[in-house]
Amino acid sequence: MAIARDDYSFYAFEGLRPCRYHGHLHITSTHFDEPQGLALICAADTAIAVHGRVDGDDPRTVWAGGRADALRDAIASSLVASGFQAASSDRALAGRQLANICNRGTAGAGVQIEIPRTLRDKLKRDQAILTLFSDAVRQAMSSR
């Protein structure tokens, strides 16, 4: 919501139970088929999908993936310029498949942002950091 604000479309698929573990709700990005979400994505030119990931051995770096290479790289660069750690991803969560929800807009290419849990927790706790993060993403979006 912080990225979309009032001028971009927004859709959320999230676990709302009080516990943190929502693994049973996980749907891979290539198998996402919720009708309202698909309708919104398929009507848009470009989608930016924001995902949470486990920290693993890297609790700070935002991985930017997807098929919209220029926008993906611009988002990663803008995040870095704003003081975050970010990298264009060639990892397992790179979001390159055509069936990935981020690539199902009319352009056939979008961006997938994978945010590690440690950073997500920080964004939830600190409005100033969330604003800095969302401003960085929006700056990259408006410069394309």
Side-chain angles (χ1 to χ4, degrees):
M1 286 188 294
I3 295 169
R5 297 188 188 154
D6 292 331
D7 51 339
Y8 289 104
S9 300
F10 173 77
Y11 172 87
F13 179 78
E14 59 186 340
L16 298 177
R17 292 189 179 165
C19 71
R20 279 193 74 147
Y21 180 72
H22 294 100
H24 60 286
L25 297 177
H26 183 261
I27 301 171
T28 62
S29 297
T30 56
H31 290 99
F32 188 84
D33 63 355
E34 196 283 317
Q36 288 180 325
L38 281 180
L40 185 64
I41 296 290
C42 292
D45 178 57
T46 304
I48 297 176
V50 180
H51 297 218
R53 69 169 179 83
V54 297
D55 283 352
D57 62 353
D58 186 356
R60 291 182 291 279
T61 305
V62 175
W63 298 342
R67 297 178 61 85
D69 296 345
L71 179 57
R72 176 202 63 211
D73 295 347
I75 289 172
S77 294
S78 185
L79 286 168
V80 168
S82 295
F84 296 94
Q85 292 184 28
S88 295
S89 179
D90 58 358
R91 300 172 184 251
L93 301 175
R96 303 288 298 172
Q97 306 92 334
L98 286 172
N100 186 299
I101 191 67
C102 75
N103 298 319
R104 295 178 68 180
T106 59
V111 175
Q112 177 171 300
I113 301 171
E114 294 281 349
I115 306 173
R117 173 170 274 169
T118 296
L119 178 56
R120 289 194 321 272
D121 288 346
K122 190 181 285 189
L123 295 172
K124 284 169 62 174
R125 282 191 316 268
D126 190 324
Q127 182 63 43
I129 294 173
L130 176 61
T131 299
L132 186 64
F133 184 94
S134 61
D135 284 351
V137 175
R138 289 175 61 86
Q139 180 180 6
M141 292 164 57
S142 66
S143 68
R144 62 178 212 118

PDB file of all heavy atoms in Angstrom, residues 9 19 31 43 50 70 83 119-120 124 127 134 140:
ATOM      1  N   SER A   9      -2.867   1.050  -8.747  1.00  0.00           N
ATOM      2  CA  SER A   9      -3.737  -0.030  -8.290  1.00  0.00           C
ATOM      3  C   SER A   9      -2.995  -0.866  -7.260  1.00  0.00           C
ATOM      4  O   SER A   9      -1.769  -0.970  -7.288  1.00  0.00           O
ATOM      5  CB  SER A   9      -4.135  -0.935  -9.467  1.00  0.00           C
ATOM      6  OG  SER A   9      -4.826  -0.199 -10.437  1.00  0.00           O
ATOM      7  N   CYS A  19      -0.961 -15.461  14.095  1.00  0.00           N
ATOM      8  CA  CYS A  19       0.354 -16.106  14.068  1.00  0.00           C
ATOM      9  C   CYS A  19       1.146 -15.608  12.869  1.00  0.00           C
ATOM     10  O   CYS A  19       0.581 -15.162  11.880  1.00  0.00           O
ATOM     11  CB  CYS A  19       0.213 -17.620  14.025  1.00  0.00           C
ATOM     12  SG  CYS A  19      -0.398 -18.259  12.463  1.00  0.00           S
ATOM     13  N   HIS A  31       1.720 -20.047 -10.081  1.00  0.00           N
ATOM     14  CA  HIS A  31       0.449 -20.757  -9.922  1.00  0.00           C
ATOM     15  C   HIS A  31      -0.645 -19.881  -9.327  1.00  0.00           C
ATOM     16  O   HIS A  31      -1.713 -20.367  -8.998  1.00  0.00           O
ATOM     17  CB  HIS A  31       0.642 -22.000  -9.041  1.00  0.00           C
ATOM     18  CG  HIS A  31       1.433 -23.062  -9.718  1.00  0.00           C
ATOM     19  ND1 HIS A  31       2.787 -23.243  -9.471  1.00  0.00           N
ATOM     20  CD2 HIS A  31       1.086 -23.979 -10.637  1.00  0.00           C
ATOM     21  CE1 HIS A  31       3.221 -24.235 -10.216  1.00  0.00           C
ATOM     22  NE2 HIS A  31       2.218 -24.696 -10.937  1.00  0.00           N
ATOM     23  N   ALA A  43      -5.189  -6.411 -16.549  1.00  0.00           N
ATOM     24  CA  ALA A  43      -5.638  -5.134 -17.111  1.00  0.00           C
ATOM     25  C   ALA A  43      -4.544  -4.072 -17.053  1.00  0.00           C
ATOM     26  O   ALA A  43      -4.651  -3.033 -17.686  1.00  0.00           O
ATOM     27  CB  ALA A  43      -6.875  -4.641 -16.361  1.00  0.00           C
ATOM     28  N   VAL A  50       5.267  -7.478  -4.756  1.00  0.00           N
ATOM     29  CA  VAL A  50       6.103  -7.367  -3.573  1.00  0.00           C
ATOM     30  C   VAL A  50       5.893  -8.628  -2.737  1.00  0.00           C
ATOM     31  O   VAL A  50       4.777  -8.912  -2.309  1.00  0.00           O
ATOM     32  CB  VAL A  50       5.756  -6.107  -2.756  1.00  0.00           C
ATOM     33  CG1 VAL A  50       6.630  -6.013  -1.518  1.00  0.00           C
ATOM     34  CG2 VAL A  50       5.900  -4.856  -3.623  1.00  0.00           C
ATOM     35  N   ALA A  70      14.824  -3.195 -17.308  1.00  0.00           N
ATOM     36  CA  ALA A  70      15.183  -1.798 -17.046  1.00  0.00           C
ATOM     37  C   ALA A  70      14.518  -1.296 -15.766  1.00  0.00           C
ATOM     38  O   ALA A  70      15.167  -0.651 -14.933  1.00  0.00           O
ATOM     39  CB  ALA A  70      14.807  -0.914 -18.236  1.00  0.00           C
ATOM     40  N   GLY A  83      19.876   4.011   0.497  1.00  0.00           N
ATOM     41  CA  GLY A  83      20.499   3.418   1.675  1.00  0.00           C
ATOM     42  C   GLY A  83      20.135   1.983   1.978  1.00  0.00           C
ATOM     43  O   GLY A  83      20.545   1.431   2.999  1.00  0.00           O
ATOM     44  N   LEU A 119      14.039  -7.114   7.163  1.00  0.00           N
ATOM     45  CA  LEU A 119      13.725  -5.795   6.620  1.00  0.00           C
ATOM     46  C   LEU A 119      12.224  -5.540   6.672  1.00  0.00           C
ATOM     47  O   LEU A 119      11.801  -4.419   6.997  1.00  0.00           O
ATOM     48  CB  LEU A 119      14.255  -5.653   5.186  1.00  0.00           C
ATOM     49  CG  LEU A 119      13.942  -4.321   4.495  1.00  0.00           C
ATOM     50  CD1 LEU A 119      14.457  -3.134   5.323  1.00  0.00           C
ATOM     51  CD2 LEU A 119      14.537  -4.305   3.093  1.00  0.00           C
ATOM     52  N   ARG A 120      11.408  -6.543   6.387  1.00  0.00           N
ATOM     53  CA  ARG A 120       9.950  -6.352   6.485  1.00  0.00           C
ATOM     54  C   ARG A 120       9.553  -5.933   7.892  1.00  0.00           C
ATOM     55  O   ARG A 120       8.727  -5.032   8.073  1.00  0.00           O
ATOM     56  CB  ARG A 120       9.200  -7.640   6.099  1.00  0.00           C
ATOM     57  CG  ARG A 120       9.271  -7.956   4.638  1.00  0.00           C
ATOM     58  CD  ARG A 120       8.270  -9.012   4.188  1.00  0.00           C
ATOM     59  NE  ARG A 120       8.041 -10.120   5.069  1.00  0.00           N
ATOM     60  CZ  ARG A 120       8.734 -11.259   5.085  1.00  0.00           C
ATOM     61  NH1 ARG A 120       9.747 -11.424   4.264  1.00  0.00           N
ATOM     62  NH2 ARG A 120       8.411 -12.226   5.911  1.00  0.00           N
ATOM     63  N   LYS A 124       7.725  -2.429   8.970  1.00  0.00           N
ATOM     64  CA  LYS A 124       6.471  -2.397   9.734  1.00  0.00           C
ATOM     65  C   LYS A 124       6.586  -1.539  10.989  1.00  0.00           C
ATOM     66  O   LYS A 124       5.624  -0.886  11.380  1.00  0.00           O
ATOM     67  CB  LYS A 124       6.049  -3.822  10.116  1.00  0.00           C
ATOM     68  CG  LYS A 124       5.459  -4.597   8.969  1.00  0.00           C
ATOM     69  CD  LYS A 124       5.286  -6.068   9.268  1.00  0.00           C
ATOM     70  CE  LYS A 124       4.355  -6.359  10.383  1.00  0.00           C
ATOM     71  NZ  LYS A 124       4.103  -7.799  10.568  1.00  0.00           N
ATOM     72  N   GLN A 127       7.801   3.978  10.344  1.00  0.00           N
ATOM     73  CA  GLN A 127       7.123   4.646   9.223  1.00  0.00           C
ATOM     74  C   GLN A 127       8.099   5.432   8.350  1.00  0.00           C
ATOM     75  O   GLN A 127       7.955   5.481   7.131  1.00  0.00           O
ATOM     76  CB  GLN A 127       6.024   5.574   9.747  1.00  0.00           C
ATOM     77  CG  GLN A 127       5.236   6.268   8.649  1.00  0.00           C
ATOM     78  CD  GLN A 127       4.478   5.316   7.753  1.00  0.00           C
ATOM     79  OE1 GLN A 127       3.860   4.371   8.218  1.00  0.00           O
ATOM     80  NE2 GLN A 127       4.512   5.549   6.452  1.00  0.00           N
ATOM     81  N   SER A 134       9.408   3.065   0.070  1.00  0.00           N
ATOM     82  CA  SER A 134       8.366   3.219  -0.950  1.00  0.00           C
ATOM     83  C   SER A 134       8.668   4.385  -1.891  1.00  0.00           C
ATOM     84  O   SER A 134       8.413   4.296  -3.097  1.00  0.00           O
ATOM     85  CB  SER A 134       6.988   3.360  -0.316  1.00  0.00           C
ATOM     86  OG  SER A 134       6.909   4.494   0.503  1.00  0.00           O
ATOM     87  N   ALA A 140      11.766   5.149  -9.058  1.00  0.00           N
ATOM     88  CA  ALA A 140      12.167   4.317 -10.204  1.00  0.00           C
ATOM     89  C   ALA A 140      10.989   4.116 -11.154  1.00  0.00           C
ATOM     90  O   ALA A 140      11.170   4.122 -12.374  1.00  0.00           O
ATOM     91  CB  ALA A 140      12.698   2.979  -9.703  1.00  0.00           C
TER      92      ALA A 140
END
